[in-house]
Amino acid sequence: MPRKPSVAARTSLYRLLGVVDLASSVQAKYVGDADYTLTETDVAGRAALVVQGLMRTPTVSWAGTLHALTGATIQLGNATAAAVLLIRDEDEKAWALTYGMGFQLLDQAKVDGGFGQRIAIRTADPRDLNSLTRTTLDHRSRTDRFSIPGGDHLRGFGVGDYGEIVSRLVAKAEVKDLTGGEKPIRIRGADALSVPLGKQPEQLVNDLDALARIMDRDPPTDLAVLEQLVAIKNEPDLIRALEGDLEAALGDPAEATRLSLSWPHERIEENSPPTSFKLRGVGRSPSRKVHDGDPRLSDLLDAVGKVAKGKRLEALKGLRVMLFRDADATEPISAAIPGLQWLAFETDRDGKRYCLHDGRWYLMDQGYAEKLLARTAAILAREPAFQFPDWPLGEPEKAYNQRLAAHVGGTFLDTKLIRTVLHRRGIEACDVLSNDGALVHVKDLKASAPASHLLAQALVSTDALLHDDEARAKLRDLVEAEGGDVATVSEKVRTVVLGLGAHGGALTATSLFTFTQVTLARQVAALEAQGVEVLVGCIPRP
């Protein structure tokens, strides 16, 4: 018996925003090109535009290599078909159905980023997810793609932690409102949506209307976590507005209460702190001045403050920060890192919170922000058994840590590195090893300095001491050399204490930047998963 023809065909669908006329959704270089035709039409009474043509490559990219190997003349090119059907929707919105290389024709500034994922989240079976792409927004900014072909719950992918963005989702779904939706389908969602759509005009328009209604739904409880953070892209007007807020903060540091320094760890070769740094791209020639210690927010603000207001963000984007191991700045431990990637910034618009992290903008779900704040408050409430002494302004960190070691009857280890096969350049086990074996890390939390650097150091050193016998042996040797009690170096790290210097009062969750809260929550969870208790102490800075 012949198979019944399908009433729907799988299609790549985009949602477009800010569409004044349909032709404006096409990249200008293809409009008027002899290889492309634009045909105005309608689909079930709705204004539509068909754009079609051939993308030509006169010479294939590998022709030169093959010619160099053989001496033969290679006269080959490619012609790839591309088409897009644009259908008008309401309020300067439109749909784009792409075929072949048709997605290349679209003006990416008008593409509604994450549209496909929002549909997938609202229709997917939470128990039958097949694949997802996740970016972790902590000090590493790592991106991973996970696949479980047989399907699993979100928990099976290890997703649901703080500071995670899922940018692509593949899952089984039931979308009964779609043409041919009587059976479960495989749905793929990112910026685009891959889903079967009706083959007839009326069916197609009904399907598009159904998808619009789906976007208005709240996400299901099991998958709502996937919308906690959304990367902002292809929204130039919004990004310009956010950059305007950042420009204002750069232009008036006294008002920059939500501007902070952020440590781009993933671009730095080692965990030990730099001895010096240089700022490049300041003025007309590269700077040769060597600065001592770590970069500070004031270093970046002073550098861009040399240019006129309104031009400081542009100057920041051109600024480069390079870290060095030695005081003479001859041994680099980082590349020349763009100044924008050293900043964290938060701003509110239309009741929504936006955050700058690692040079990119993100929208934060309000419910997620409240949950993260509560988690941070719970962590800060875990105080150590001892009380940190005051840390007067002007006292160097090294001198304070020496006093702290005496105060707790422990061993002073600030800047004392241990080197192993796994950590050849050395790691700092802690600033002070207390008399009960706790690793105490101290960091001054100025209003301009989040705790991500301290937290990363704590995680790296604890992980080494938990899993590396050589690291524990080297720590015992170091404690003995410093005149400490070797018995305080236990076979297993049980406690890490974070001492955070607070300016202007007590340390609270609201005093920490959002991505510092993210880093704190993630690092504490990582240590707790290994059986390590994490305690936080406030260090008054009168």
Side-chain angles (χ1 to χ4, degrees):
M1 183 176 180
R3 187 175 181 179
K4 184 178 179 180
S6 173
V7 295
R10 184 168 290 276
T11 308
S12 292
L13 178 69
Y14 292 82
R15 179 82 159 163
L16 306 178
L17 305 175
V19 179
V20 178
D21 61 87
L22 293 177
S24 69
S25 302
V26 181
Q27 291 191 59
K29 66 181 180 180
Y30 297 114
V31 179
D33 189 311
D35 282 335
Y36 297 87
T37 60
L38 281 69
T39 306
E40 293 184 356
T41 182
D42 74 273
V43 175
R46 297 192 185 180
L49 179 69
V50 176
V51 185
Q52 58 181 310
L54 292 174
M55 292 189 168
R56 301 181 186 276
T57 304
T59 305
V60 292
S61 60
W62 40 264
T65 301
L66 186 53
H67 172 73
L69 292 171
T70 66
T73 301
I74 309 300
Q75 296 179 327
L76 296 173
N78 283 324
T80 306
V84 59
L85 168 60
L86 300 165
I87 301 177
R88 168 64 71 183
D89 198 23
E90 59 182 11
D91 300 328
E92 295 189 354
K93 297 174 184 175
W95 302 97
L97 289 72
T98 63
Y99 305 89
M101 297 293 287
F103 65 93
Q104 296 275 29
L105 305 178
L106 297 175
D107 179 355
Q108 292 299 310
K110 289 185 166 56
V111 172
D112 183 4
F115 148 73
Q117 182 186 321
R118 294 198 297 276
I119 294 291
I121 287 172
R122 284 158 176 76
T123 58
D125 182 346
R127 302 160 299 179
D128 201 353
L129 309 182
N130 299 108
S131 175
L132 57 82
T133 300
R134 176 183 69 183
T135 298
T136 303
L137 290 183
D138 60 5
H139 62 283
R140 294 161 295 180
S141 296
R142 186 186 69 243
T143 298
D144 304 297
R145 176 168 290 183
F146 302 89
S147 295
I148 302 179
D152 200 348
H153 191 276
L154 190 63
R155 292 186 295 271
F157 290 84
V159 174
D161 207 344
Y162 293 99
E164 293 181 335
I165 293 178
V166 173
S167 56
R168 181 180 181 272
L169 179 65
V170 180
K172 182 179 179 181
E174 289 190 15
V175 194
K176 296 184 182 299
D177 291 341
L178 293 183
T179 302
E182 67 279 357
K183 295 182 179 180
I185 60 174
R186 190 67 58 203
I187 193 166
R188 301 183 184 92
D191 285 351
L193 177 69
S194 175
V195 66
L197 297 175
K199 292 182 178 180
Q200 298 301 315
E202 292 79 8
Q203 294 173 335
L204 174 59
V205 168
N206 289 337
D207 287 346
L208 298 179
D209 289 343
L211 293 174
R213 291 192 297 271
I214 289 171
M215 280 195 294
D216 290 334
R217 299 180 194 166
D218 290 331
T221 302
D222 283 358
L223 298 181
V225 67
L226 300 184
E227 290 192 343
Q228 61 186 12
L229 286 165
V230 178
I232 304 299
K233 53 184 178 178
N234 303 325
E235 296 187 51
D237 292 340
L238 174 58
I239 290 177
R240 276 193 293 269
L242 298 175
E243 290 188 338
D245 291 347
L246 177 55
E247 176 70 47
L250 293 172
D252 190 356
E255 299 298 324
T257 57
R258 306 182 82 176
L259 182 65
S260 169
L261 193 72
S262 182
W263 194 271
H265 294 270
E266 69 282 358
R267 294 172 177 81
I268 300 170
E269 293 181 6
E270 58 179 88
N271 185 54
S272 58
T275 301
S276 63
F277 67 95
K278 284 185 177 182
L279 300 178
R280 297 180 174 177
V282 182
R284 296 184 178 180
S285 61
S287 173
R288 297 179 181 177
K289 181 178 179 181
V290 178
H291 303 263
D292 292 332
D294 296 351
R296 299 167 297 176
L297 178 63
S298 58
D299 294 316
L300 275 68
L301 295 181
D302 290 346
V304 300
K306 298 176 183 179
V307 302
K309 287 187 177 182
K311 298 291 185 180
R312 292 178 178 174
L313 178 56
E314 181 182 347
L316 181 67
K317 290 179 178 180
L319 182 67
R320 297 293 184 270
V321 182
M322 197 166 192
L323 307 179
F324 297 87
R325 182 179 303 108
D326 61 314
D328 296 327
T330 59
E331 298 181 52
I333 60 172
S334 79
I337 305 169
L340 188 63
Q341 291 171 352
W342 280 89
L343 284 187
F345 179 65
E346 298 175 7
T347 186
D348 294 317
R349 282 189 164 268
D350 301 324
K352 298 177 180 178
R353 175 173 296 181
Y354 297 91
C355 306
L356 177 72
H357 172 76
D358 198 36
R360 298 186 64 186
W361 291 98
Y362 298 90
L363 169 64
M364 176 170 289
D365 177 74
Q366 185 60 35
Y368 166 72
E370 294 171 355
K371 181 180 176 182
L372 177 60
L373 194 66
R375 170 63 173 158
T376 303
I379 293 171
L380 295 181
R382 306 172 183 173
E383 298 181 351
F386 63 87
Q387 185 174 1
F388 282 91
D390 288 0
W391 184 357
L393 295 177
E395 181 180 22
E397 184 175 319
K398 181 177 180 179
Y400 176 78
N401 284 329
Q402 287 173 329
R403 286 201 300 114
L404 176 63
H407 177 74
V408 300
T411 307
F412 170 75
L413 297 176
D414 187 9
T415 69
K416 310 291 184 180
L417 303 183
I418 58 176
R419 292 177 171 82
T420 69
V421 172
L422 294 177
H423 297 279
R424 294 182 183 278
R425 292 179 175 173
I427 59 172
E428 188 179 83
C430 58
D431 291 312
V432 173
L433 181 67
S434 73
N435 58 5
D436 60 357
L439 304 178
V440 184
H441 298 265
V442 172
K443 197 68 173 180
D444 183 17
L445 281 193
K446 298 177 183 178
S448 62
S452 57
H453 188 195
L454 166 68
L455 299 171
Q457 285 181 319
L459 182 65
V460 170
S461 66
T462 304
D463 184 73
L465 294 171
L466 281 170
H467 302 111
D468 187 349
D469 291 338
E470 184 184 9
R472 288 193 296 273
K474 290 293 181 68
L475 178 58
R476 282 191 288 269
D477 292 343
L478 178 60
V479 170
E480 184 177 18
E482 296 297 319
D485 184 358
V486 177
T488 59
V489 183
S490 61
E491 285 300 312
K492 175 178 171 56
V493 178
R494 301 191 183 281
T495 306
V496 169
V497 178
L498 304 176
L500 306 181
H503 292 244
L507 181 67
T508 65
T510 54
S511 68
L512 298 179
F513 273 72
T514 297
F515 282 113
T516 300
Q517 296 178 39
V518 167
T519 302
L520 179 64
R522 292 187 61 84
Q523 304 291 55
V524 169
L527 292 174
E528 288 179 336
Q530 300 180 81
V532 179
E533 181 183 30
V534 181
L535 306 174
V536 181
C538 173
I539 306 176
R541 298 231 59 189

